Amino acid sequence: MKITKLSLYKVPPRWLFLKIDTDEGISGWGEPVVEGRAETVKAAVNELSDYIIGRNPNDIEDIWQTLYRGGFYRGGPILMSAISGIEQALWDIKGKYYNIPVYEMLGGKARQKIKVYSWIGGDRPADVAAAAREKQEQGFQAVKMNASEEMNYIDSFSKVDAVIERVASIREALGKDFGIGVDFHGRIHKTMAKTLVKELEPYRPMFIEEPVLPENNEALREIALHTTCPIATGERMYTRWGFKQLLQDGYVDIIQPDLSHTGGILEGKKIAAMAEAYDVSIAPHCPLGPMTLASSVHLDASTPNFIIQEQSLGIHYNQGMDILDYINNPEVFAYKDGYVNIPDQPGLGIEINEEKVKQAAEVGHDWKNPIWRHEDGSIAEW
C-alpha cells in the first residue's frame, strides 16, 4: 500500500481537514490546524507531502520520525500541528486496513467509556450558573469556563471578585460534586494568578488550567504554594521533549496535550506514559473538530491515567458549523450521563461526509482570535 495524494480543506468554523489517499482505495482523515493560523499549517502540510507520497502509510513511526527529524529546526506549533494531522490520518488508514479501531493498536481498552465535559461562558464569561445548570440537565457532570476577561500584571480586586462570584454561583447552584474547570487561558500573569488560586480554593475547582503561559511554567512552583487545587496545563506544549521539564519539576497535576498540536496520537500516548511515571493524569485539550476528538477518544480509551476529555460541541467558537455537521455517523459522539462510548468502527471510527466538507471548503474561513488591549492601550493576553 502506498500513499498517493494529500487533500486539504479549510472549513468553518476554524478548522483544517486533511484526507490522505492510498493506491488500495483506503483513505484516512486528520486535522492539522493551529487556530488562527490555518493557512500557515496548510502550507506546512503541503511542504511535508514530498516526504510521504509513495510511502507505506502503515509505517507511522518511521514517517513521524522522518517528518520531525528531516528538518534541522524542530518542534513548535506549526510543524507539530502539520505532523499531528498527517499522523492522525495514517492511524485512520491503518485501522481501516486491519479492520480494527485505533485504540486496539494502542494496547486495547483501559476503560469502558470516556468522561467528557462541556464549555460554558464564552470568551468573556457571563451567566455561567444558568449555563452550567443547562449542561447538568443534559447529563454532563462537569463544565469548564474561562476565568476572566483580560487582566494586567497588577489589576483591580473587583476583577478577582468577579471570578470568585462566577465560580461560587456554579458551586452553590449545582452542589459539591459537580466538576468546575477554571481556565486562566494564559491571560493572567503570575502576580494575579497567586491571588486568584488562593481565593478559588474554597470552591474546590476540578482544576485550574494554564494559570500562567507555558513559557512561564517556572512560575507554577510559586503558584502551587498558594493552593491545593489541581493545576492543569499543556495545550500549547509540543512533543514529549516539551513536557519533560514540566513533569520533572513536579508542580502540575494534569497535563493537557492537544493531539492536533503536540505530535499526534502516538506522541500523545508517549507523553501520557511519561506523565503516569510522575503520578500525573491526562485530560487532552480539544476545542476542535471531529478528527481531533476521535483521536483523543482512542487515546483516552487505552490510557490508564486519563481522567476527562474536553469536547467542542456547542462551544462559542463553533459559529455556523459544528462537529456533527461533518460526519455521517453522529451517534459516535452521543453523550449520556457525561460520558461517550468508545468507537467500535475501524480506524478513527468516524465517517466523514466528504461532499459536505468540500462544500464547506468553498466557503472557507479566516478565523483569528481577538486582539485585546488594556485600558492604557497596551496589548493584553487573550
Side-chain angles (χ1 to χ4, degrees):
M1 183 165 55
K2 304 295 182 186
I3 295 170
T4 57
K5 184 181 179 183
L6 280 71
S7 303
L8 289 151
Y9 304 96
K10 192 168 70 166
V11 299
R14 55 178 190 159
W15 302 333
L16 181 67
F17 292 170
L18 166 67
K19 181 188 180 188
I20 296 182
D21 292 315
T22 69
D23 61 356
E24 294 198 10
I26 301 174
S27 300
W29 289 83
E31 204 167 334
V33 68
V34 171
E35 301 91 305
R37 299 291 183 265
E39 277 293 334
T40 312
V41 180
K42 183 178 180 181
V45 173
N46 282 325
E47 196 167 47
L48 292 173
S49 65
D50 290 343
Y51 293 95
I52 64 174
I53 297 291
R55 293 291 306 270
N56 182 342
N58 286 326
D59 296 339
I60 297 174
E61 182 68 78
D62 189 70
I63 290 173
W64 194 98
Q65 295 290 339
T66 301
L67 298 179
Y68 183 77
R69 299 180 188 274
F72 185 74
Y73 298 97
R74 302 168 184 174
I78 302 304
L79 175 63
M80 296 319 303
S81 297
I83 292 175
S84 295
I86 292 169
E87 196 256 16
Q88 292 167 6
L90 297 180
W91 280 109
D92 197 24
I93 292 171
K94 193 179 186 82
K96 292 171 182 175
Y97 182 80
Y98 288 107
N99 197 35
I100 54 175
V102 167
Y103 70 82
E104 293 286 12
M105 297 180 283
L106 299 176
K109 291 181 183 178
R111 57 187 40 81
Q112 300 305 310
K113 56 185 179 179
I114 308 299
K115 191 172 185 179
V116 295
Y117 66 82
S118 189
W119 262 91
I120 59 169
D123 267 345
R124 297 184 180 276
D127 301 323
V128 292
R133 184 179 295 281
E134 180 181 341
K135 295 301 182 182
Q136 186 188 51
E137 290 170 353
Q138 294 171 7
F140 289 99
Q141 300 175 33
V143 295
K144 186 171 80 174
M145 66 177 186
N146 283 313
S148 73
E149 302 178 355
E150 60 268 46
M151 192 173 286
N152 217 326
Y153 286 87
I154 301 291
D155 216 318
S156 69
F157 278 89
S158 63
K159 288 187 178 181
V160 174
D161 291 342
V163 175
I164 304 309
E165 287 166 10
R166 284 191 289 269
V167 176
S169 71
I170 299 175
R171 179 60 67 222
E172 181 179 345
L174 301 184
K176 64 180 181 180
D177 293 326
F178 191 79
I180 308 171
V182 184
D183 188 358
F184 285 34
H185 215 250
R187 294 175 182 172
I188 302 172
H189 299 277
K190 176 181 68 172
T191 308
M192 298 305 295
K194 289 188 295 182
T195 298
L196 261 176
V197 299
K198 185 176 181 180
E199 296 283 345
L200 280 169
E201 188 161 10
Y203 304 98
R204 298 176 179 172
M206 178 172 60
F207 54 74
I208 53 173
E209 178 174 333
E210 268 198 336
V212 291
L213 290 166
E215 49 264 45
N216 298 326
N217 274 344
E218 71 282 350
L220 294 178
R221 177 182 182 276
E222 192 170 353
I223 290 168
L225 295 175
H226 289 78
T227 185
T228 59
C229 297
I231 295 173
T233 194
E235 68 189 66
R236 288 185 272 189
M237 298 173 65
Y238 318 103
T239 77
R240 73 205 89 146
W241 295 284
F243 282 85
K244 182 167 64 172
Q245 189 63 52
L246 178 71
L247 292 169
Q248 287 177 354
D249 288 345
Y251 301 112
V252 68
D253 302 288
I254 304 165
I255 57 165
Q256 301 169 302
D258 187 311
L259 300 193
S260 274
H261 301 326
T262 202
I265 297 171
L266 186 57
E267 191 66 12
K269 182 75 172 176
K270 293 174 180 180
I271 292 166
M274 289 171 59
E276 185 183 9
Y278 287 92
D279 202 23
V280 169
S281 58
I282 181 170
H285 179 256
C286 185
L288 290 168
M291 297 83 158
T292 312
L293 180 55
S295 297
S296 300
V297 167
H298 285 278
L299 174 68
D300 304 339
S302 63
T303 299
N305 54 326
F306 160 79
I307 52 163
I308 197 166
Q309 177 61 54
E310 180 175 25
Q311 55 82 38
S312 76
L313 191 61
I315 199 172
H316 48 289
Y317 303 122
N318 293 358
Q319 301 295 319
M321 299 292 282
D322 213 320
I323 289 178
L324 304 184
D325 295 323
Y326 290 110
I327 59 177
N328 290 325
N329 56 337
E331 67 278 1
V332 76
F333 294 134
Y335 305 134
K336 183 180 179 182
D337 299 328
Y339 288 85
V340 66
N341 288 328
I342 299 168
D344 58 4
Q345 297 300 306
L348 293 179
I350 52 174
E351 300 170 11
I352 301 300
N353 185 333
E354 189 168 355
E355 189 59 36
K356 189 74 169 282
V357 169
K358 289 179 178 178
Q359 290 172 2
E362 293 293 321
V363 177
H365 70 84
D366 189 27
W367 189 88
K368 299 285 191 297
N369 65 250
I371 301 297
W372 286 359
R373 293 182 181 273
H374 297 298
E375 285 185 283
D376 63 1
S378 59
I379 287 285
E381 296 291 347
W382 167 70

